[in-house]
Amino acid sequence: MRGTIEELCRREILERAARAEELSDGSLYQVIDEVMGEMAKEHYLPLSERTSMRRRLFDSFRRLDILQELLEDDSITEIMVNGHRNIFVERDGKVFRWDSCFENRQKLEDVIQQIVARVNRVVNESSPIVDARLPDGSRVNVVLPPISLDGPALTIRKFSRKPITMDQLIRCGSIGEEPAALLRLLVKAHYNIFISGGTGSGKTTFLNALSQYIPNQERVITIEDSAELQLLEQPDLIRLETRSGVGEGISIRQLIRCSLRMNPDRIIVGEVRGEEALDMLQAMNTGHDGSLSTGHANSPSDMLMRLATMVLMGAEIPLAAINSQIGSAIDILVHLGKLRDGSRKVLSIMEVDNDGMGGIRLSPLYEFEETGTDEDGRVCGRWKKQAQGPADTRKLILAGCKDLLQGI
């Protein structure tokens, strides 16, 4: 019965809204209250139900319909919609099926179009895949039929409303105090740092936390497919975002090249996935020390091989020359992982260098060592120091920070 009343209200509101000029949020609430008041004369609705229906009706017109409740729940980190009937959420590293769903496929498609329109993206049958973002920075991926066989697929990766700091990551056990202190020193000394890890390992969150160590007087340019980074306390900041579209699209590769003419102190590339890896490496090698980026890989060595493969996508360069470029450009590689208990941790911090024989040498500085599990099933361990600091201390010396290594 509730569904019938709510649908009748929605239809009447839609008709009145269509006859009126563009409604403000306040005016829309007024129309909703008028329609619900008229409906209450014929159908009894408890006050609590009227209040929740009022919110749902507003969400269906101005927000993301039934997904709005999940977006406002800070304990949920991922929302996965598999067609209009199946919605799954991730909370505390565990995935659950949600007990609500969209009324029909059209409702889900309306929400999808609302999301992509906000960021000037297009998704349809001829262009059925798109990456977008919500106003709060949450990452959105959409796949439509005919690519998605069981209906539209919508995935939302939520981020904290306030950027997570390194101190918070230390308190929740994602990294130890000593390795965090080392990374703070390396960022200050303008080491180029690359963050690797699997899907959902926390790369963007960690990149955000790490970037908070960048001195405020430096000019920073961020480059992303969909803007997710939150460097809001950086006064001299330019945020660049790609644009999709045939003939009019702007790629990460183009944005990296453009950023070099904007006098940056540091360039932050949210994630490298393809041939733009070469441009990023060249930027790191041509006076933009202290740059940061991330990439998908299962281990540090896998990340280096993937980077080489990405470079080969856009240039015919001998592998030895590519490895030399990688070894010269990247100073430090931080690898993250999502453990079996759902926690996310820094698994290793490696120094990257050329081995002198056409290859790349990885030298561990810290590695996470498991010691067991506690009574709640959480993985326990410690970060074992493998070296006092990087062997290449030239940047530390130039920054006047070498002596500070002794205190870590």
Side-chain angles (χ1 to χ4, degrees):
M1 183 66 176
R2 187 198 83 179
T4 302
I5 296 173
E6 190 167 330
E7 186 56 34
L8 289 172
C9 287
R10 184 180 286 108
R11 290 174 185 171
E12 180 62 26
I13 294 165
L14 191 60
E15 288 182 12
R16 296 189 187 187
R19 292 196 298 266
E21 296 181 0
E22 186 174 345
L23 294 175
S24 65
D25 287 353
S27 298
L28 177 59
Y29 269 125
Q30 187 175 347
V31 172
I32 291 172
D33 290 338
E34 289 174 359
V35 171
M36 289 186 64
E38 294 169 7
M39 195 65 64
K41 295 176 183 178
E42 302 177 18
H43 306 278
Y44 171 71
L45 285 174
L47 180 60
S48 60
E49 177 59 27
R50 287 184 64 177
T51 302
S52 61
M53 186 181 294
R54 181 178 188 262
R55 178 182 58 80
R56 289 195 301 271
L57 287 168
F58 183 82
D59 288 347
S60 70
F61 284 98
R62 287 291 161 86
R63 296 178 180 170
L64 299 187
D65 205 65
I66 61 171
L67 298 184
Q68 192 65 36
E69 178 183 340
L70 300 178
L71 290 170
E72 294 172 357
D73 186 342
D74 291 338
S75 68
I76 292 174
T77 55
E78 194 107 15
I79 303 168
M80 295 155 283
V81 182
N82 307 344
H84 71 276
R85 295 189 183 90
N86 301 302
I87 300 176
F88 295 83
V89 298
E90 182 184 75
R91 180 186 282 118
D92 299 326
K94 304 290 193 305
V95 176
F96 307 91
R97 183 168 185 162
W98 197 37
D99 56 7
S100 295
C101 64
F102 286 93
E103 291 181 20
N104 51 54
R105 176 169 162 174
Q106 185 60 48
K107 292 280 186 185
L108 172 55
E109 291 180 348
D110 289 345
V111 167
I112 289 172
Q113 293 301 332
Q114 183 181 343
I115 291 172
V116 300
R118 285 176 178 171
V119 289
N120 296 316
R121 302 288 171 99
V122 175
V123 64
N124 49 45
E125 285 191 4
S126 60
S127 180
I129 300 174
V130 72
D131 290 316
R133 57 179 165 81
L134 299 180
D136 65 358
S138 296
R139 179 193 307 165
V140 179
N141 175 262
V142 175
V143 183
L144 294 184
I147 302 300
S148 177
L149 301 181
D150 300 317
L154 170 67
T155 307
I156 301 174
R157 170 76 55 81
K158 291 175 59 184
F159 296 101
S160 173
R161 288 184 173 87
K162 292 184 178 180
I164 295 177
T165 65
M166 195 64 75
D167 287 340
Q168 289 174 297
L169 293 178
I170 292 171
R171 286 196 296 272
C172 72
S174 293
I175 188 173
E177 290 187 8
E178 283 191 3
L182 174 64
L183 290 175
R184 179 168 55 245
L185 195 60
L186 297 178
V187 171
K188 181 180 178 182
H190 282 254
Y191 279 69
N192 291 322
I193 300 176
F194 198 94
I195 301 165
S196 67
T199 301
S201 58
K203 297 184 294 299
T204 302
T205 298
F206 193 82
L207 178 58
N208 252 323
L210 200 60
S211 64
Q212 291 163 11
Y213 291 148
I214 297 174
N216 284 342
Q217 67 270 22
E218 296 188 10
R219 180 171 172 82
V220 179
I221 297 179
T222 65
I223 299 170
E224 303 173 83
D225 266 333
S226 295
E228 301 165 2
L229 296 174
Q230 298 170 292
L231 281 70
L232 303 182
E233 295 181 5
Q234 200 70 30
D236 193 354
L237 171 68
I238 296 178
R239 303 167 70 215
L240 303 179
E241 183 180 61
T242 62
R243 186 176 71 182
S244 61
V246 178
E248 299 179 352
I250 305 295
S251 67
I252 283 185
R253 190 168 197 180
Q254 290 171 288
L255 292 179
I256 292 175
R257 292 175 179 176
C258 176
S259 70
L260 299 179
R261 298 189 288 272
M262 302 172 76
N263 194 31
D265 290 307
R266 300 180 193 244
I267 298 171
I268 300 178
V269 181
E271 182 181 342
V272 291
R273 301 174 184 165
E275 58 188 27
E276 70 272 5
L278 176 60
D279 300 276
M280 182 203 69
L281 294 172
Q282 288 176 337
M284 289 179 169
N285 266 327
T286 54
H288 300 92
D289 288 335
S291 295
L292 307 170
S293 189
T294 77
H296 278 83
N298 293 324
S299 70
S301 57
D302 283 349
M303 189 69 253
L304 297 180
M305 287 189 287
R306 286 206 67 223
L307 278 172
T309 303
M310 292 177 201
V311 172
L312 286 170
M313 290 179 182
E316 294 183 7
I317 303 174
L319 183 58
I322 294 174
N323 286 336
S324 176
Q325 184 94 304
I326 294 172
S328 299
I330 299 174
D331 300 309
I332 301 294
L333 198 155
V334 181
H335 187 69
L336 312 180
K338 184 176 179 180
L339 304 186
R340 58 186 177 277
D341 62 352
S343 64
R344 298 165 173 85
K345 295 187 185 295
V346 172
L347 300 183
S348 61
I349 301 175
M350 300 276 189
E351 182 178 15
V352 183
D353 197 8
N354 293 310
D355 64 4
M357 298 179 290
I360 306 172
R361 179 171 52 242
L362 285 172
S363 304
L365 303 178
Y366 278 93
E367 291 188 324
F368 180 72
E369 186 179 77
E370 283 193 32
T371 57
T373 55
D374 63 16
E375 57 185 15
D376 295 321
R378 292 177 297 215
V379 175
C380 301
R382 64 191 183 97
W383 283 269
K384 189 175 181 181
K385 183 187 289 188
Q386 305 292 335
Q388 182 60 39
D392 186 350
T393 58
R394 289 173 295 176
K395 292 183 179 179
L396 285 167
I397 293 171
L398 288 172
C401 299
K402 185 180 179 183
D403 292 342
L404 297 178
L405 275 178
Q406 305 304 318
I408 299 176

Coordinates of all heavy atoms in Angstrom, one line a residue, residues 214-215 218-222 231 234 236-239 264-268:
I214 N 53.2 18.1 2.0 CA 53.8 19.1 1.0 C 53.7 20.5 1.7 O 52.7 20.9 2.1 CB 53.0 19.1 -0.3 CG1 53.1 17.7 -1.0 CG2 53.5 20.1 -1.2 CD1 52.3 17.5 -2.2
P215 N 54.9 21.2 1.7 CA 54.9 22.5 2.3 C 53.9 23.5 1.6 O 53.7 23.4 0.4 CB 56.3 23.0 2.0 CG 57.1 21.7 1.9 CD 56.2 20.7 1.3
E218 N 54.5 25.7 -1.8 CA 54.7 25.1 -3.1 C 53.5 25.1 -4.0 O 52.4 25.0 -3.5 CB 55.3 23.7 -2.9 CG 56.6 23.7 -2.2 CD 57.3 22.3 -2.2 OE1 56.7 21.4 -2.9 OE2 58.3 22.1 -1.5
R219 N 53.8 25.2 -5.3 CA 52.7 25.2 -6.3 C 52.4 23.7 -6.7 O 53.4 23.1 -7.2 CB 53.1 26.1 -7.5 CG 52.0 26.2 -8.6 CD 52.5 27.2 -9.6 NE 51.7 27.3 -10.8 CZ 50.5 27.9 -10.9 NH1 50.0 28.5 -9.8 NH2 49.8 27.9 -12.0
V220 N 51.2 23.3 -6.6 CA 50.9 21.9 -6.8 C 49.8 21.8 -7.9 O 48.8 22.6 -7.9 CB 50.4 21.2 -5.5 CG1 50.0 19.7 -5.8 CG2 51.5 21.3 -4.4
I221 N 50.0 20.9 -8.8 CA 49.0 20.6 -9.9 C 48.6 19.1 -9.8 O 49.4 18.2 -9.8 CB 49.5 20.9 -11.3 CG1 49.8 22.4 -11.4 CG2 48.5 20.5 -12.3 CD1 50.4 22.8 -12.7
T222 N 47.3 18.9 -9.6 CA 46.7 17.5 -9.6 C 46.1 17.2 -10.9 O 45.4 18.1 -11.5 CB 45.7 17.3 -8.4 OG1 44.6 18.1 -8.6 CG2 46.4 17.7 -7.1
L231 N 43.2 18.1 -1.5 CA 44.3 18.9 -1.0 C 43.8 20.3 -0.7 O 44.4 21.3 -1.2 CB 45.4 19.0 -2.1 CG 46.3 17.8 -2.2 CD1 45.6 16.6 -2.8 CD2 47.5 18.1 -3.1
Q234 N 46.0 23.3 0.6 CA 47.1 23.7 -0.3 C 46.7 25.0 -0.9 O 45.9 25.0 -1.8 CB 47.5 22.7 -1.3 CG 48.9 22.8 -1.9 CD 50.0 22.4 -0.9 OE1 49.7 21.6 0.0 NE2 51.1 23.1 -1.0
D236 N 48.3 27.2 -3.1 CA 48.6 27.4 -4.6 C 48.4 26.0 -5.3 O 49.3 25.3 -5.5 CB 50.1 27.8 -4.7 CG 50.4 28.3 -6.1 OD1 49.5 28.2 -7.0 OD2 51.5 28.8 -6.4
L237 N 47.1 25.8 -5.6 CA 46.7 24.4 -6.1 C 45.9 24.6 -7.4 O 44.9 25.4 -7.4 CB 45.9 23.7 -5.0 CG 45.2 22.4 -5.5 CD1 46.2 21.3 -5.8 CD2 44.2 21.9 -4.4
I238 N 46.2 23.8 -8.4 CA 45.4 23.8 -9.6 C 45.0 22.3 -9.8 O 45.8 21.4 -9.8 CB 46.2 24.2 -10.8 CG1 46.5 25.7 -10.7 CG2 45.4 24.0 -12.1 CD1 47.4 26.3 -11.9
R239 N 43.6 22.1 -9.9 CA 43.1 20.8 -10.1 C 42.6 20.6 -11.5 O 41.8 21.4 -12.0 CB 41.9 20.5 -9.1 CG 42.3 20.8 -7.7 CD 41.1 20.9 -6.8 NE 40.4 19.6 -6.7 CZ 39.1 19.4 -6.6 NH1 38.3 20.5 -6.7 NH2 38.6 18.2 -6.5
P264 N 54.8 24.3 -12.2 CA 54.5 23.6 -11.0 C 55.8 23.2 -10.2 O 56.8 23.1 -10.8 CB 53.9 22.3 -11.5 CG 54.5 22.1 -12.8 CD 54.8 23.4 -13.4
D265 N 55.6 23.2 -8.9 CA 56.7 22.6 -8.0 C 56.6 21.1 -8.0 O 57.5 20.4 -8.0 CB 56.7 23.2 -6.6 CG 57.1 24.6 -6.6 OD1 58.2 24.9 -7.1 OD2 56.3 25.5 -6.1
R266 N 55.3 20.7 -7.9 CA 55.0 19.2 -7.9 C 53.8 18.9 -8.7 O 52.9 19.7 -8.8 CB 54.7 18.8 -6.4 CG 55.9 19.0 -5.4 CD 55.4 18.5 -4.1 NE 56.3 18.9 -3.0 CZ 57.1 18.1 -2.3 NH1 57.1 16.8 -2.5 NH2 57.9 18.6 -1.4
I267 N 53.8 17.7 -9.3 CA 52.7 17.3 -10.1 C 52.2 16.0 -9.5 O 53.0 15.1 -9.2 CB 53.1 17.0 -11.6 CG1 53.6 18.3 -12.3 CG2 51.9 16.4 -12.4 CD1 54.2 18.0 -13.6
I268 N 50.9 15.9 -9.2 CA 50.3 14.7 -8.6 C 49.3 14.1 -9.7 O 48.3 14.7 -10.0 CB 49.6 15.0 -7.3 CG1 50.5 15.6 -6.3 CG2 48.9 13.8 -6.8 CD1 49.9 16.0 -5.0

